[in-house]
């Protein structure tokens, strides 16, 4: 669906020979039920330094061209998990993706992450995602009746055992890149399993059994078909598929 | 409009807000209002660590920690508060461990500790290993652990609710907190939260600078809301500029990088910190290093075609060490600069980092209406507050500590107050201010753009009230801010809708930044001395005779409606440490 292309409003001089700026087209999936029940594509042309982030491009559009463009963001350097979106068909954080790394010659397509209800433009309803997270009991559970006065001891090796899954920033890039989740929103999804893994393999925790039982559910780990989309999508470099496999293995060995 | 009633309302779900919520929820019916989903809060960006004299790896004690905090703050620290901070540090780290925080461990299984700038054994004798950490993502782990425990306890969150006004009612001549007015992002609806206690934990305000380590959302909403209602702001001229932000972007590269052996170099490859701090060199205190970097740049020894940055050199460190100790920040260099830190130095410049000033509180987190009077039912904790444990310059790792110690204290105090207090009556139109503000912006036909005014504000702040200040530069900023405030009245937004109108909220946030920038500049103009993060080239020395006191800035509205800022001062609490010269 064709929509008007907005003219650039970059500072004068940006076209000079020494300028690092290039012209890039952002093709953005727009949706605002206050305006129309249908989603449309809209093109924006901006002048941008290819070393800048996709998030910088979105800001240029919002700040200089169209204030109604809506997306979430906060930290702008990949640690808060606000701005997962589908960029050229892949889930990424807009603040961790540089223009030069995604072929700016062609229009850059930007859509909301898939499988969650779109509320406006790139903003989706994250509640089902967080509900799945909360359902795996993502907190330390210990049996000791009287609290120790000092810290619980944990060896560096035991600490290392679950290090990878502590890095999760709950951005949902993994879960919303998973074909199983797209087909059936009831599936817990990789992020919830990653966060269960973080406690199941923590030597201080005593509730692995309960969490494994939750994930043994029909909507649990067994739905995973090991497509590795989640691992590819994770901006924190977490080996998501491996974590899921370890949870599966724990379920099997537990039963043996 | 909806009206809610809670015993305790907490504004903000970063480290301070959630630490308070864990206490308050146990003791009172509590709601947490937050403009971001809790785990998006900027506490998650903190890298280096959290200080506590656990003495797990070498001899240490809380009294040494207190001394370092007082000295680091250039003696503007309230020493009774610093003592509480250092004493309660130990339990607050242990609390987090018990809640599940995965600290790095020693071979014996204890919480591991490492060095950080300004923390010493025996009053400056030698560096001490006091910082408890989890790789270079300690803040992330604190935020996650606190959120996990909020989930465990069933803390009630209102996510993407923006608090835009504080309700204060005068009862028998006493100003009391009656609640807050909030705006729901998803729907545009206005909510009144009546509460016996309100705790502000809404974080910092670094976004009035251009080059900053702060998130886009750190716009000082809490400070601005109470200031507008007649509460003073304390020590706002003190802002910390962290030496090592990524060039132009401001993304932080932790002090831990220099702790691991990283070296700062100018364009000639010279290790210039040897000239400025012969003993501590690259690990001198943050204000000293930031000034040294800018001195190099001003004297023509900066790097790059514009000579506007210097290098952080890690190339002499073994790649294994970088991978093990600094994984996140080396990845930042690769992602954002395309630089391989194993082989190439990283371009850096000082970045606006931390607000030492804020809403004045006592050690219970109770907000002060003047030097001594408490506002019943109003509390603040975390970066939004000024206790003051950081004085003129915060030590690294003392803020993650502050949010835990004073977040907990405020949570307990607020809930206990709520259990014996009554609800305060609401004024006639409690929502009037917010409704008017929103309607004005939505219906404005003005010609000014939010982004333009914000850019100009950030540029004037970077140019005039950053690392170096003079009467002249500060006055330039004051005038520019006044002009921008005038133009802000003529600002218009494009999104007129109700649903997720972030265009509207950015406009409101800009208004807050303008108010706070003005307080900062006016407070800085009056402080004719140099102390900690506030450096006046025209008054390069600390002046304990005239300025060993906290600034208290009040908003005044004249009979004709004109607004101005009145400055007053508050004595510093000194207990055992007499001011000395600060040498590193
Ligand atoms: C990059 C970086 C690294 C750091 N590293 C360290 C370190 O190693 N050690 C250390 O001690 N300190 C460090 N600091 C400082 C420390 O992290 C912060 O000062 C501290 O985390 C602030 O916590 P807070 O809870 O006060 O605020 P934040 O974590 O910023 O939380 C603010 C909360 O308030 C909410 N909020 C804001 N406005 C509103 C509103 N209008 N309505 C409703 N809610 C609102 C937000 O949603 C958020 O939940 C670092 C800071 C940065 C930026
Ligand atoms: S595992 Fe990775 S992709 Fe998935 S939510 Fe966590 S950080 Fe995001
Ligand atoms: S804005 Fe925080 S992760 Fe992108």
């Amino acid at each position: 669906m064709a929509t008007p292309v907005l003219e650039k409003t970059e500072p004068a001089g940006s076209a000079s020979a020494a300028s690092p700026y290039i012209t890039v087209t952002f093709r953005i999936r727009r949706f605002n039920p206050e305006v129309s029940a249908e989603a449309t594509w809209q093109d924006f042309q901006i002048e941008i330094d290819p070393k800048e982030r996709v998030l910088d491009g979105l800001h240029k559009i919002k700040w200089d061209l169209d204030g109604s463009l809506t997306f979430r963001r906060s930290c702008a350097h990949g640690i808060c998990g606000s701005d997962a979106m589908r960029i050229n068909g892949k889930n990424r954080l807009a603040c961790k993706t540089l223009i030069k790394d995604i072929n700016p010659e062609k229009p850059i397509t930007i859509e909301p992450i898939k499988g969650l209800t779109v509320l406006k433009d790139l903003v989706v309803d994250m509640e089902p995602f967080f509900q799945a997270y909360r359902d795996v009991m993502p907190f330390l559970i210990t049996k000791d009746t009287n609290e120790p006065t000092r810290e619980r001891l944990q060896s560096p090796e035991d600490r290392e055992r679950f290090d990878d899954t502590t890095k999760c920033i709950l951005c949902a890039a993994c879960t919303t890149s998973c074909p199983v989740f797209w087909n059936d929103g009831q599936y817990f999804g990789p992020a919830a399993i990653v966060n269960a893994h973080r406690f199941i393999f923590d030597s201080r925790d005593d509730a692995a059994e309960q969490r494994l039982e939750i994930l043994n559910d029909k909507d649990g780990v067994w739905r995973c078909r090991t497509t590795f989309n989640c691992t590819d999508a994770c901006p924190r470099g977490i080996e998501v598929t491996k974590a899921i496999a370890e949870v599966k293995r724990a379920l099997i060995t537990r039963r043996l | 409009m909806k009206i809610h009633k809670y015993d305790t309302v907490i504004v903000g779900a970063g480290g301070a807000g959630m630490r308070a919520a864990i206490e308050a929820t146990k003791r009172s019916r509590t709601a947490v209002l937050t403009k971001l989903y809790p785990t998006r809060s900027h506490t998650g960006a903190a890298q280096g660590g959290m200080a506590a004299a656990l003495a797990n790896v070498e001899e240490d004690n809380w009294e040494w920690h207190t001394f370092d905090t007082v000295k680091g703050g250039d003696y503007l620290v309230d020493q009774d508060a610093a003592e509480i901070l250092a004493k309660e540090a130990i339990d607050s780290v242990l609390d987090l461990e018990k809640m599940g925080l995965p600290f790095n461990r020693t071979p014996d299984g204890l919480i591991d500790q490492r060095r950080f700038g300004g923390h010493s054994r025996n009053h400056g004798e030698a560096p001490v290993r006091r910082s408890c950490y989890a790789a270079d993502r300690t803040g992330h782990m604190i935020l996650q652990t606190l959120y996990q425990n909020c989930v465990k306890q069933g803390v009630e969150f209102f996510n993407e609710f923006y608090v835009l006004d504080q309700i204060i009612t005068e009862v028998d001549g006493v100003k009391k907190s009656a609640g807050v007015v909030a705006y729901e992002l998803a729907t545009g609806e206005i909510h009144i939260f009546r509460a016996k206690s309100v705790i502000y934990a809404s974080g910092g305000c670094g976004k009035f600078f251009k080059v900053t380590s702060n998130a886009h959302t750190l716009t000082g909403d809490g400070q601005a809301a109470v200031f507008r209602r007649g509460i003073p702001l304390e020590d706002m001229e003190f802002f910390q500029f962290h030496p090592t932000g990524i060039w132009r972007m401001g993304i932080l590269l932790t002090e831990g990088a220099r702790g691991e052996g990283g070296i700062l170099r100018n364009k000639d490859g010279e290790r210039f910190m040897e000239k400025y701090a012969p003993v501590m060199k690259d690990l001198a205190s943050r204000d000293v290093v930031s000034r040294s970097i800018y001195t190099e740049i001003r004297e023509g020894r900066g790097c790059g075609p514009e000579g506007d940055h210097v290098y952080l050199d890690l190339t002499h460190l073994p790649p294994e060490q970088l991978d093990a100790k600094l994984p996140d920040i080396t990845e930042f260099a690769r992602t954002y600069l395309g630089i391989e830190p194993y082989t190439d130095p990283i371009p850096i410049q000082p970045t606006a980092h931390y607000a030492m000033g804020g809403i004045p509180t006592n050690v219970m987190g109770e907000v002060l209406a003047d030097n001594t009077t408490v506002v019943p039912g109003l509390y603040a904790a975390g970066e939004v507050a000024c206790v003051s444990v950081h004085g003129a310059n915060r030590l690294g790792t003392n803020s993650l500590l502050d949010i835990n110690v004073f977040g907990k204290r405020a949570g307990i105090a607020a809930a206990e107050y709520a259990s014996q207090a009554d609800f305060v009556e609401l004024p006639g139109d409690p929502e009037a201010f917010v409704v008017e503000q929103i309607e004005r912006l939505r219906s404005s036909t003005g010609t000014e753009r939010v982004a333009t005014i914000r850019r100009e504000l950030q540029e004037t702040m970077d140019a005039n009230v950053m690392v170096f200040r003079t009467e002249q530069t500060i006055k330039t900023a004051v005038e520019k801010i006044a002009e921008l405030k005038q133009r802000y009245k003529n600002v218009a937004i494009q999104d007129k809708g109700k649903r997720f109108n972030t265009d509207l909220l950015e406009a409101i946030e800009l208004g807050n930044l303008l108010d706070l920038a003005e307080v900062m500049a006016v407070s800085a103009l009056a402080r004719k001395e140099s102390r900690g993060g506030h450096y006046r080239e025209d008054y390069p020395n600390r002046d304990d005779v005239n300025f060993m006191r906290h600034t208290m800035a009040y908003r005044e509205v004249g009979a004709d409606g004109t607004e101005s800022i009145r400055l007053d001062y508050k004595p510093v609490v000194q207990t055992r440490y007499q001011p000395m010269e600060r040498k590193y």
Side-chain angles (χ1 to χ4, degrees):
Chain A
M1 228 169 295
T3 45
V5 174
L6 290 166
E7 289 304 317
K8 60 178 202 234
T9 56
E10 271 309 303
S14 59
S16 76
S19 161
Y21 287 85
I22 58 168
T23 305
V24 178
T25 302
F26 273 41
R27 180 162 295 163
I28 302 177
R29 193 72 174 159
R30 304 287 313 260
F31 172 65
N32 183 358
E34 282 185 306
V35 175
S36 159
E38 237 174 288
T40 55
W41 290 100
Q42 185 173 9
D43 282 5
F44 296 94
Q45 276 185 6
I46 52 170
E47 300 280 295
I48 194 164
D49 181 336
K51 292 197 288 296
E52 287 186 84
R53 300 160 271 207
V54 170
L55 180 64
D56 297 313
L58 291 171
H59 273 147
K60 276 175 201 268
I61 296 169
K62 184 171 184 68
W63 293 343
D64 297 332
L65 300 174
D66 182 354
S68 73
L69 178 68
T70 305
F71 48 92
R72 292 190 176 103
R73 53 86 177 111
S74 182
C75 72
H77 65 288
I79 52 91
C80 78
S82 296
D83 60 343
M85 45 189 85
R86 228 168 127 78
I87 301 172
N88 285 349
K90 283 182 92 175
N91 279 1
R92 309 167 193 257
L93 297 177
C95 67
K96 236 187 149 177
T97 308
L98 302 194
I99 302 285
K100 68 178 173 59
D101 297 333
I102 47 166
N103 185 16
E105 315 271 287
K106 291 214 236 120
I108 295 170
T109 62
I110 302 178
E111 303 160 78
I113 42 180
K114 268 172 81 172
L116 295 166
T117 309
V118 181
L119 299 174
K120 184 177 174 185
D121 293 345
L122 303 171
V123 173
V124 299
D125 179 9
M126 294 287 287
E127 193 39 40
F129 170 82
F130 285 118
Q131 189 55 51
Y133 164 78
R134 290 192 292 263
D135 285 345
V136 302
M137 304 197 295
F139 36 78
L140 190 76
I141 299 174
T142 54
K143 283 205 290 257
D144 31 56
T145 35
N146 41 6
E147 286 255 291
T149 47
R150 291 289 298 196
E151 69 259 54
R152 295 188 178 82
L153 299 182
Q154 182 168 54
S155 71
E157 296 71 36
D158 283 345
R159 165 66 182 76
E160 186 55 30
R161 181 68 191 84
F162 61 102
D163 189 61
D164 200 35
T165 45
T166 64
K167 295 177 191 156
C168 176
I169 55 173
L170 297 170
C171 69
C174 54
T175 297
T176 60
S177 70
C178 173
V180 180
F181 180 76
W182 295 338
N183 287 334
D184 177 4
Q186 294 302 307
Y187 171 45
F188 275 96
I193 302 171
V194 160
N195 283 281
H197 177 283
R198 180 249 170 274
F199 289 99
I200 291 169
F201 293 93
D202 186 334
S203 59
R204 299 169 298 173
D205 186 83
D206 294 322
E209 276 296 320
Q210 277 165 274
R211 286 192 198 88
L212 286 170
E213 208 39 64
I214 292 169
L215 292 175
N216 199 19
D217 185 84
K218 68 174 174 29
D219 297 318
V221 282
W222 306 112
R223 302 289 301 274
C224 166
R225 294 200 312 255
T226 327
T227 48
F228 281 95
N229 284 18
C230 50
T231 303
D232 290 343
C234 179
R236 300 289 291 148
I238 298 171
E239 294 181 276
V240 182
T241 316
K242 184 174 162 208
I244 298 174
E246 287 177 354
V247 171
K248 286 181 181 169
R249 206 173 314 130
L251 267 166
I252 294 168
T253 49
R254 181 187 68 139
R255 286 223 209 97
L256 281 178
Chain B
M1 192 184 73
K2 279 206 187 98
I3 299 189
H4 310 253
K5 258 177 133 176
Y6 284 88
D7 293 328
T8 307
V9 159
I10 300 173
V11 183
M18 292 203 285
R19 190 66 190 82
I22 286 171
E23 300 303 328
T25 299
K26 289 182 204 156
R27 298 171 171 85
S28 66
R29 199 165 160 261
T30 300
V32 181
L33 277 48
T34 171
K35 74 177 183 183
L36 300 173
Y37 194 84
T39 57
R40 312 293 184 221
S41 304
H42 212 54
T43 291
Q47 300 164 358
M50 170 168 167
L54 296 183
N56 276 0
V57 289
E58 60 183 311
E59 188 187 355
D60 197 6
N61 63 60
W62 61 258
E63 191 272 320
W64 294 350
H65 185 184
T66 310
F67 170 79
D68 292 336
T69 301
V70 171
K71 175 186 170 194
D74 227 348
Y75 295 91
L76 198 70
V77 170
D78 286 329
Q79 297 183 10
D80 55 340
E83 188 170 317
I84 289 172
L85 182 82
K87 264 190 198 160
E88 295 183 9
I90 295 162
D91 274 341
S92 71
V93 166
L94 297 177
D95 280 353
L96 287 170
E97 195 285 327
K98 287 172 199 165
M99 288 185 209
L101 198 140
F103 284 109
N104 277 40
R105 299 290 173 151
T106 67
D108 297 334
L110 299 171
I111 294 169
D112 198 11
Q113 299 189 273
R114 64 180 173 198
R115 288 178 184 167
F116 231 80
H119 292 280
S120 73
R121 54 170 286 125
N122 197 14
H123 315 97
E125 222 171 69
V128 75
R129 293 169 63 184
R130 184 178 292 148
S131 163
C132 310
Y133 67 101
D136 56 356
R137 49 176 190 281
T138 314
H140 165 76
M141 296 302 196
I142 289 178
L143 192 68
Q144 295 290 326
T145 301
L146 291 175
Y147 182 60
Q148 290 156 1
N149 281 271
C150 286
V151 170
K152 188 175 185 177
Q153 283 194 24
V155 170
E156 197 173 343
F157 287 101
F158 290 80
N159 297 323
E160 300 187 318
F161 274 57
Y162 285 65
V163 169
L164 300 182
D165 198 13
Q166 165 64 33
I167 310 171
I168 288 189
T169 308
E170 262 197 42
V171 185
D172 304 329
V174 180
K175 279 188 195 161
K176 291 187 171 183
S177 168
V180 298
V181 186
Y183 175 95
E184 183 180 359
L185 183 65
T187 60
E189 190 167 8
I190 290 171
H191 298 254
I192 308 267
F193 284 81
R194 296 189 64 183
K196 296 174 183 172
S197 296
V198 171
I199 307 175
Y200 278 88
S202 49
C205 54
K207 262 297 155 184
F208 48 44
F209 289 102
K210 185 166 85 182
V211 176
T212 173
S213 64
N214 281 197
H216 285 286
T217 45
L218 288 175
T219 50
D221 304 354
Q223 295 90 321
V226 301
F227 182 64
R228 222 169 18 234
R229 295 289 167 203
I231 308 293
L233 294 177
E234 181 174 347
D235 288 343
M236 288 295 285
E237 64 271 41
F238 294 102
F239 208 92
Q240 182 168 78
F241 304 98
H242 193 292
T244 54
I246 290 184
W247 175 48
R248 290 195 170 151
M249 303 181 87
I251 298 171
L252 194 80
L253 301 177
T254 174
E255 192 168 297
R258 282 166 289 139
E260 295 292 334
I263 292 171
L264 295 170
R265 297 189 190 280
N266 62 20
K267 73 166 190 213
D268 305 318
E270 180 195 3
R271 182 179 194 177
F272 58 84
M273 280 312 299
E274 287 176 336
K275 295 184 293 198
Y276 302 97
V279 181
M280 293 300 284
K281 299 188 179 118
D282 299 278
L283 275 175
S285 87
R286 291 179 177 178
D287 53 322
V288 173
V289 181
S290 288
R291 280 196 293 279
S292 308
I293 292 172
Y294 270 123
T295 305
E296 291 296 301
I297 290 174
R298 285 166 149 201
E299 292 177 358
R301 291 185 295 277
C303 307
E306 290 169 46
D308 58 355
H309 57 275
V310 298
Y311 286 132
L312 172 63
D313 184 0
L314 305 175
T315 57
H316 54 291
L317 303 176
E320 312 80 67
Q321 187 184 350
L322 297 182
D323 293 349
K325 297 292 184 60
L326 303 166
D328 277 12
I329 66 142
T330 45
E331 196 195 306
F332 293 154
R334 290 183 194 116
T335 305
Y336 295 111
L337 296 165
I339 276 178
E340 178 45 67
Y342 295 161
T343 50
D344 292 304
I346 308 169
I348 57 100
Q349 75 182 96
T351 183
H353 186 53
Y354 183 85
M356 268 77 73
I359 305 172
T361 72
N362 61 21
V363 295
M364 303 305 295
E366 295 171 304
V367 171
L368 301 174
D370 54 37
N371 287 4
T372 49
T373 316
V374 162
V375 184
L378 196 58
Y379 299 79
E383 194 169 335
V384 72
C386 180
V387 184
S388 143
V389 287
H390 308 303
N393 172 57
R394 171 177 72 82
L395 285 190
T397 68
N398 262 359
S399 172
L400 290 178
L401 176 56
D402 172 6
I403 62 180
N404 277 286
V405 167
F406 290 99
K408 178 176 179 177
R409 284 180 154 251
I412 295 172
E416 284 179 352
Y417 174 79
S419 68
Q420 47 83 20
D422 291 323
F423 284 99
V424 174
E425 282 305 309
L426 292 176
D429 287 322
E431 74 284 15
F433 170 79
V434 173
V435 170
E436 192 274 329
Q437 188 184 28
I438 289 171
E439 280 322 307
R440 185 166 38 81
L441 287 165
R442 260 211 202 103
S443 60
S444 166
T445 53
T447 49
E448 291 285 354
R449 310 265 340 219
V450 170
T452 311
I453 296 181
R454 186 173 48 214
R455 243 172 240 145
E456 289 183 34
L457 171 68
Q458 292 171 341
E459 268 156 25
T460 198
M461 294 297 280
D462 274 24
N464 297 309
V465 278
M466 220 175 165
V467 173
F468 290 110
R469 303 166 173 182
T470 67
E471 171 137 354
Q472 192 49 52
T473 64
I474 302 171
K475 277 189 171 156
T476 307
V478 170
E479 280 162 28
K480 182 71 190 182
I481 295 165
E483 174 211 312
L484 294 174
K485 284 185 82 165
Q486 204 52 41
R487 284 167 51 193
Y488 177 73
K489 294 185 178 150
N490 193 26
V491 86
I493 55 173
Q494 288 171 306
D495 193 338
K496 314 282 185 190
K498 296 214 162 223
R499 195 181 176 87
F500 285 94
N501 191 340
T502 51
D503 202 20
L504 170 72
L505 285 151
E506 281 194 36
I508 292 173
E509 290 171 334
L510 174 62
N512 295 338
L513 288 176
L514 285 166
D515 287 350
L516 297 181
E518 185 179 29
V519 178
M520 170 179 233
V522 168
S523 304
L525 190 60
R527 187 172 282 275
K528 296 184 169 148
E529 66 154 354
S530 291
R531 184 187 295 270
H534 171 74
Y535 189 81
R536 291 278 302 253
E537 287 183 276
D538 41 357
Y539 301 95
N541 298 315
R542 196 174 79 195
D543 176 356
D544 288 339
V545 176
N546 295 302
F547 288 104
M548 174 63 98
R549 53 187 192 175
H550 299 290
T551 306
M552 299 286 275
Y554 295 80
R555 176 173 178 267
E556 300 276 308
V557 184
D560 57 349
T562 50
E563 293 173 25
S564 60
I565 294 169
R566 175 175 63 86
L567 296 183
D568 197 355
Y569 293 91
K570 187 173 93 168
V572 174
V573 180
Q574 290 183 46
T575 54
R576 53 175 107 190
Y577 308 107
Q578 287 309 306
M580 295 188 302
E581 195 193 340
R582 204 168 52 119
K583 271 198 251 161
Y584 284 100

